[in-house]
Amino acid sequence: MTTTPGGVGRIRPRRLRATPAMRRLVAQTRLSPAELVLPVFVHEGLDEPRPIAAMPGVVQHTRDSLRRAVAQAAEAGLGGVMLFAVPRVRDAVGSQATAPDGILNLAIADAVAEAGDALVVQTDLCLDEFTDHGHCGVLAADGSVDNDGTLVRYADMALAQAEAGAHLIGLSGMMDGQVGYVRDALDEAGRTDVALLAYAAKYASAFYGPFREAVESQLVGDRRTYQMDPANRREAALEVQLDVQEGADVVMVKPALAYLDVLADVAASSPVPVAAYQVSGEYAMLEAAAANGWIERRRAIFESVLSIRRAGADHVLTYHALELAGWLAEENR
Ligand code: PBG
């Protein structure tokens, strides 16, 4: 290779970094609102939205304020919203998850009525918000989480969510066989139209900490007997393969930032779209560091979501979705 006297080669990568216009031209990953999904919380019986201390800027919504948030999300061009609900009453089997007038099912109908043509109304299908023990499933006599007994509850929950109008049901409980069982139940009820998002590679993560406050989780202990071990990479391929075979329309990796290797693997091999969830603890870390002046807030938020897209996510669930959409609109003006 010919080199200049200083030893620099003919190939100078810095040429393509010289101006904002050049950098914009050659950017290999872009963000747009359509691939951002906003997770939202609604709390039964609230008069006013209630702040979540560990997630500054995020609230538990009333039914009315949830409708406004969904309208805003549609206005901003987001791809969707993901609904979580906190009931007033909990019991061992999570009865409120399947009650037609349970808060989650009411909120789904509200969201669909508000903006159901403009964005995808996604729902969390899991029992942890609804059980008095806080586990994602029902318990067996010995106190362990009963996989197959839970599937029966999930099928009922899916039917209730479909009835309420959900477009894309997010199976986040990590029970074996949950996607196939719920798909069969929906199909038998004639609801072949409702799509399934499988939280395929969901890890037992400390980064869900602030979410526990957001949904007032009753959990004592952890979810290590059903969520994946953070040590495992290859196992994610098995989970994705099973979920796709069982009929998942979209698969997800969660959390995002600490699992970009897993995300890249899944993105390289999945035949269906891949979502990633930038979870509550990721949000809290960004906000806490920014509040202390330790990182530049806007740049750090952008960079983290861009990295998740770069690793291969087709769409990203992030509590910053609305704000990001605002910034993207500003930049494209
Ligand atoms: C289960 C569920 C959880 C999250 C999304 N769905 C909690 C858990 O698995 O413990 C966490 C999301 C977040 O931390 O932002 N219903």
Side-chain angles (χ1 to χ4, degrees):
M1 187 161 91
T2 308
T3 55
T4 60
V8 181
R10 285 197 182 105
I11 297 170
R12 293 173 178 264
R14 287 187 57 194
R15 278 195 284 266
L16 298 185
R17 300 175 196 147
T19 67
M22 190 66 92
R23 292 194 293 271
R24 187 161 63 103
L25 177 72
V26 303
Q28 296 175 6
T29 309
R30 297 176 201 280
L31 289 182
S32 67
E35 65 234 2
L36 300 176
V37 175
L38 180 70
V40 284
F41 302 99
V42 59
H43 190 297
E44 184 176 9
L46 278 191
D47 294 328
E48 271 181 56
R50 188 194 286 162
I52 299 163
M55 301 179 73
V58 180
V59 299
Q60 292 177 327
H61 282 289
T62 68
R63 279 181 69 186
D64 279 346
S65 72
L66 177 82
R67 285 186 78 125
R68 287 194 294 278
V70 172
Q72 271 187 313
E75 180 67 21
L78 296 190
V81 289
M82 170 61 79
L83 304 183
F84 295 95
V86 190
R88 263 192 306 209
V89 180
R90 297 180 170 87
D91 60 25
V93 297
S95 301
Q96 285 301 301
T98 45
D101 62 349
I103 181 65
L104 180 54
N105 297 321
L106 294 175
I108 293 168
D110 287 346
V112 171
E114 187 68 41
D117 296 332
L119 47 65
V120 178
V121 175
Q122 312 185 20
T123 58
D124 188 57
L125 195 162
C126 195
L127 285 171
D128 64 315
E129 290 90 352
F130 301 95
T131 52
D132 52 13
H133 46 74
H135 274 294
C136 293
V138 295
L139 303 184
D142 66 359
S144 63
V145 175
D146 173 6
N147 192 90
D148 298 11
T150 299
L151 298 183
V152 179
R153 294 290 298 137
Y154 283 2
D156 285 347
M157 202 174 169
L159 293 173
Q161 295 188 354
E163 190 60 31
H167 302 139
L168 181 60
I169 293 181
L171 292 137
S172 70
M174 289 300 283
M175 295 300 126
D176 291 337
Q178 62 183 10
V179 175
Y181 199 88
V182 163
R183 183 72 271 164
D184 284 350
L186 287 168
D187 290 355
E188 276 161 30
R191 297 310 305 268
T192 54
D193 58 316
V194 179
L196 298 182
L197 161 68
Y199 285 57
K202 177 173 178 180
Y203 287 85
S205 174
F207 293 104
Y208 308 148
F211 180 93
R212 298 276 156 89
E213 180 199 339
V215 300
E216 300 168 18
S217 173
Q218 306 297 301
L219 184 70
V220 178
D222 60 56
R223 308 196 194 287
R224 289 178 218 226
T225 68
Y226 42 106
Q227 298 180 348
M228 285 176 61
D229 184 339
N232 296 356
R233 178 169 176 173
R234 196 193 314 284
E235 190 184 344
L238 174 64
E239 285 283 3
V240 168
Q241 188 193 354
L242 288 170
D243 286 352
V244 169
Q245 278 168 3
E246 290 175 32
D249 298 287
V250 181
V251 292
M252 188 194 278
V253 173
K254 171 185 178 187
L257 221 40
Y259 296 85
L260 293 182
D261 54 339
V262 175
L263 179 55
D265 289 350
V266 172
S269 64
S270 173
V272 299
V274 177
Y277 197 146
Q278 185 179 44
V279 300
S280 58
E282 301 179 61
Y283 177 90
M285 286 196 300
L286 285 164
E287 290 297 336
N292 278 289
W294 296 336
I295 56 173
E296 249 180 82
R297 184 172 181 278
R298 179 166 164 164
R299 282 186 63 197
I301 292 169
F302 245 115
E303 186 176 330
S304 64
V305 176
L306 192 69
S307 300
I308 295 164
R309 286 269 298 134
R310 189 196 63 233
D314 297 305
H315 54 264
V316 183
L317 284 79
T318 169
Y319 299 97
H320 286 118
L322 258 185
E323 199 172 12
L324 272 163
W327 294 336
L328 290 166
E330 213 175 279
E331 285 184 4
N332 292 329
R333 255 204 306 270

